[in-house]
Amino acid sequence: MDSILVKGGGALNGQIPIAGAKNACLTLMPATLLSDEPLTLTNAPRLSDIKTMTQLLASLGAEVTSLQDGKVLAMSTHGDINTRAEYDIVRKMRASNLVLGPLLAREGHAEVSLPGGCAIGARPMDIHTDGLTKMGAEIDLRDGYLHAKADGGKLKGAVIDFPFASVGATENIMMAATLAKGTTVINNAAREPEIVDLATCLRAMGAQIDGDGTPTITIQGVDKLHGATHRVVTDRIELGTYMLAPAICGGEVELLGGKIDLLGAFCEKLDAAGINVEETDKGLKVARKNGRIRAVDVTTEPFPGFPTDLQAQMMALLCTAEGTSVLEEKIFENRFMHAPELMRMGADIDVQGGTATVTGVEKLKGAPVMATDLRASVSLILAGLAAEGETRVARVYHLDRGYEHVVRKLSGVGANIERIAGD
Ligand code: UD1
């Protein structure tokens, strides 16, 4: 297995281009199932998760063609399709569950494997299934698969109150509701930029959606959606990750395509930690203010709160801050697996349940470490960039799920980083 070797030390200077959002692309791709006409996505990221979704859609009968080195995905789903999403693919990636709403809306039934647990927690699907049940679906769990059937072969609009602003459930219900009979209202909907991006694409396909980006989304069902071309929104998590690189190492880096609006509370926390963020005509320029990073407390929350997907990377920054920071993880129950790895590099971290207390040390020291999930792996790279000596991050296949060309992007701003091919 490949690993990444980082030699810490120098400041970073230059520009990093930010790709289209993985999480937006993974929900936009299943939208092809809602129409017989072609859906084309531009600004797609080149990632293994996108390949997994391509495989899943192909197994259902969609045609997905990757053009321009993967930056454009031309999709088409005409004629008869298969409605069974197999465990073999779904278990690789939880976002596979995003085919449930579109399949049910198009065919009136669907059989989708439950994804199972993942490293960061149990991640049930009750909010998705309760919402679809309100829309007239009957859903049973048999042989590890959700068997869903719309009463009368067509979903009906409903008022759905989410107990929690789940991103995936908002996306599934929103897609299902575009072709339902009547009006669906989602209360306590997720407000993430990826939701707004999906709504924008669905509107371009002829859907009638209002209120995306607010806690109440209203979808008026239509008979048919048509083809469209849509540009995937910038990846705010890749953006935030690379904003932390000059914050940790010093120097000044411009993130091309970055926008403050995508970042919510993350920017406020950077400011409190002593990091300058300036909007330019090409993106965002980030540099550390004078002196050492200051400790800040962070609680992860749905957007516009601090994103759970940037918690591990923020922890890497706070390991060398002046003072003690408290990080509270409120979205996933088991998302501090990077902490023991950071401690192997000399960090002072105490984890109690969903709370991590980080007391800053002057300097981290390089060490061999192991990536446990996607965001944990990049946090270890960030920590390695600022550490004394060499850090080798093993199991980088996690990284390939969510970061394209990480070595090229970081070495382009002066980082000493290389990928070592494994056996
Ligand atoms: C999406 C993102 C993921 C991010 C997460 C939270 C994608 C492909 N993935 O995941 O990167 O970390 O949002 O911002 O977009 N929950 C339930 N029942 C449900 C659904 C969710 O209890 O039916 C719980 C989950 O277990 C979790 C929390 O709600 O604890 C958040 O989940 P959700 O917002 O649904 O995240 P995902 O859509 O899976």
Side-chain angles (χ1 to χ4, degrees), residues 22-24 26 94-95 97-98 120-129 164-169 171 190 192 194 236 301-302 307-309 330-333 335 375:
K22 168 181 86 79
N23 286 351
L26 288 175
R94 180 178 160 84
N97 65 26
L98 292 168
I120 58 176
R123 304 180 83 174
M125 279 193 66
D126 53 319
I127 306 176
H128 304 236
T129 51
F164 175 82
S166 156
V167 175
E171 293 166 342
E192 271 68 2
E194 293 76 25
R236 66 196 166 95
E301 284 168 346
T308 174
D309 287 350
K330 296 262 195 200
I331 309 290
F332 294 110
E333 73 262 31
R335 211 177 193 182
R375 307 304 171 185

Side-chain angles (χ1 to χ4, degrees), residues 376-388:
S377 55
V378 84
S379 78
L380 298 172
I381 291 177
L382 290 176
L385 289 175
E388 251 165 32

Side-chain angles (χ1 to χ4, degrees), residues 168-214:
T170 304
E171 293 166 342
N172 244 331
I173 300 292
M174 209 160 77
M175 287 192 276
T178 56
L179 294 178
K181 192 171 173 347
T183 304
T184 300
V185 179
I186 310 173
N187 290 316
N188 197 21
R191 290 185 276 163
E192 271 68 2
E194 293 76 25
I195 303 284
V196 176
D197 203 39
L198 174 62
T200 306
C201 175
L202 293 171
R203 273 192 292 265
M205 295 170 74
Q208 293 196 8
I209 304 177
D210 277 319
D212 44 298
T214 78

